Amino acid sequence: MTRRLVSPSLIGKTNRSRVLKLLFENGPSSRAQLARALGVNRATIASILQPLVDDGTLIEGEAIAPSRSGGKPARPLWFNQAGAELGSVRMSSTRILAARIGMDGTIRTQGQRQIGPDWELSRIRDELLTLADECFEGHVLFGIGVAAAGMVDTTTGRILSVHLAPVLNGFAVVDELQAAFAVPVAIDHHPRVLALGDRWFGAGRGLERFASVYTGEALGIGFVHEGEVFRGVDGAGGEYGHMVVDMRGDRCMCGRTGCWETIATTGWLRAEAGRRGLPDAERADCASLVAAAGQGDARAAGLIRDYARNLAVGMANHEHMLASHNYIIHGDAATGGETMRALLQEYLAEFSPHRGEPPVVIVDPTDEDPVLLGGGGLVLSTELSTVV
């Protein structure tokens, strides 16, 4: 194997990336604090920081009085609110969302377009570019991150397969957005982007290992291990919804039998609500069933317990294999609040390996924000990579 030396320009990019990641993780920091955290001297940290101040990426805050031991007043550095922003796009079978996000994780603007799985691809492309233009035009972007439903190829920037909208199969999303905005664009599978949103801006911030669980019409898990999101070659893997949990179960839309999605999606939940004679079964979701159970409806209470149990089956399989320990719940199941969290915690502890402290379940009740923030996190993880 041929080994190449790391070029001076790559060393510079890596050092800048480490500084920016420290700021994201620790908040506004002085030059001295950053130097200590990186184990470098003041001259080295100054050479890294000054270009970032000069180009407007970072700004100096108000001086902080020195400690009793003396020294110069510290001026903490933080991201310039008028500087570059993060672009985010989410594509599913029925809609496209886009957002422009500040470096501090604040969503500055967002919008969406409804699309149809029976539309021509050219029409979907036009809706994507029109929406992106409304959110991004006239603003300086650090990059754009795309969260896509279905299977993706992170190397070629294409959506490979979407079961609910085959028209998107092969769609070169990255090429389209790069041509339109001339900035770095990255794409990844929706649950992994969700995990990046938690990693950079959400409940996973500061955790070295956790899994983000998306629930709703589909199921997915993205997970962070030792501070980095895990993905296979070219973005492969992560199709948790299609791991088989019942060889004699129902047929899944993917063509296999007994996938996790056949027993723990909102589609299953509504069909089961109908079988159990619950009212408004076609509109049933976790929130409405928890509310009905709270009013004494035993059928709703039983269904919620079964829903939690079925979700925990897939989560426990992940815990057996990868031991993420912390599970952040998003989507439909999160709307069940503490009732659903407690049930998931109970079943996950029962089904997981019994060693040490049981896994922890965290519920995030926000709607689309974690995924949109994850698009920004995808940009940061790509552009601030410290792997050389």
Side-chain angles (χ1 to χ4, degrees):
M1 180 178 68
T2 302
R3 296 188 180 275
R4 295 179 296 176
L5 294 175
V6 178
S7 69
S9 63
L10 187 54
I11 291 175
K13 180 180 185 296
T14 301
N15 286 337
R16 288 191 297 274
S17 296
R18 286 175 176 152
V19 166
L20 294 174
K21 287 182 77 173
L22 275 174
L23 285 171
F24 273 108
E25 291 167 357
N26 300 332
S29 305
S30 69
R31 289 170 172 80
Q33 289 171 322
L34 291 168
R36 284 195 297 271
L38 289 170
V40 299
N41 59 40
R42 285 177 177 265
T44 299
I45 199 67
S47 68
I48 298 170
L49 289 170
Q50 196 56 48
L52 295 170
V53 174
D54 291 342
D55 69 13
T57 300
L58 301 178
I59 57 173
E60 293 182 313
E62 294 294 327
I64 299 174
S67 65
R68 293 180 180 178
S69 60
K72 293 181 179 180
R75 298 182 68 89
L77 292 157
W78 188 236
F79 294 98
N80 184 357
Q81 296 304 298
E85 298 172 301
L86 306 167
S88 178
V89 172
R90 180 188 175 189
M91 294 199 66
S92 71
S93 60
T94 57
R95 61 177 176 162
I96 305 170
L97 297 94
R100 196 178 70 254
I101 304 165
M103 287 289 202
D104 60 352
T106 302
I107 293 181
R108 304 282 177 78
T109 189
Q110 63 179 301
Q112 65 175 300
R113 289 287 192 282
Q114 297 296 321
I115 60 174
D118 57 342
W119 287 12
E120 294 287 338
L121 183 59
S122 59
R123 184 179 175 188
I124 295 176
R125 171 190 172 276
D126 290 345
E127 290 290 341
L128 166 66
L129 294 179
T130 299
L131 176 60
D133 193 63
E134 291 175 3
C135 289
F136 306 148
E137 184 62 28
H139 296 269
V140 177
L141 296 181
F142 198 60
I144 300 171
V146 180
M151 295 172 60
V152 301
D153 187 322
T154 56
T155 301
T156 64
R158 292 175 178 269
I159 295 175
L160 295 179
S161 174
V162 181
H163 293 307
L164 294 176
V167 66
L168 293 173
N169 295 356
F171 185 27
V173 181
V174 168
D175 288 348
E176 295 287 353
L177 290 171
Q178 281 182 334
F181 297 98
V183 297
V185 181
I187 188 172
D188 211 334
H189 185 41
H190 165 271
R192 282 194 292 263
V193 177
L194 181 62
L196 286 169
D198 286 332
R199 157 75 175 83
W200 288 96
F201 305 113
R205 194 169 185 175
L207 296 177
E208 283 296 302
R209 56 192 173 106
F210 68 86
S212 297
V213 184
Y214 179 77
T215 65
E217 293 182 356
L219 289 173
I221 295 179
F223 66 98
V224 167
H225 184 71
E226 295 184 353
E228 300 292 334
V229 70
F230 179 86
R231 61 173 61 85
V233 176
D234 299 330
E239 293 292 325
Y240 276 88
H242 298 290
M243 62 181 175
V244 175
V245 295
D246 183 359
M247 291 294 292
R248 298 181 180 179
D250 293 337
R251 190 169 184 82
C252 181
M253 68 180 66
C254 73
R256 288 180 285 272
T257 298
C259 293
W260 189 29
E261 287 195 357
T262 65
I263 65 167
T265 58
T266 52
W268 171 87
L269 190 69
R270 288 163 184 165
E272 193 64 23
R275 283 191 289 270
R276 299 186 189 197
L278 285 160
D280 297 321
E282 67 279 3
R283 292 190 294 274
D285 58 17
C286 192
S288 65
L289 290 169
V290 166
Q295 295 173 359
D297 190 323
R299 295 170 301 174
L303 180 52
I304 281 295
R305 182 167 282 277
D306 288 345
Y307 186 31
R309 183 182 188 281
N310 291 354
L311 283 169
V313 166
M315 294 160 60
N317 285 347
H318 175 89
E319 183 67 13
H320 275 279
M321 291 183 287
L322 295 160
S324 289
H325 187 70
N326 302 289
Y327 290 81
I328 305 171
I329 309 300
H330 296 277
D332 179 66
T335 67
E338 176 57 23
T339 297
M340 193 62 170
R341 191 210 65 78
L343 287 170
L344 287 170
Q345 180 85 52
E346 173 189 336
Y347 284 121
L348 182 57
E350 178 184 343
F351 300 155
S352 295
H354 296 165
R355 48 180 296 171
E357 291 296 318
V360 175
V361 175
I362 303 164
V363 167
D364 186 338
T366 53
D367 187 17
E368 299 298 344
D369 285 3
V371 184
L372 290 175
L373 290 175
L378 178 57
V379 174
L380 294 173
S381 292
T382 303
E383 295 303 305
L384 303 185
S385 173
T386 56
V387 178
V388 299

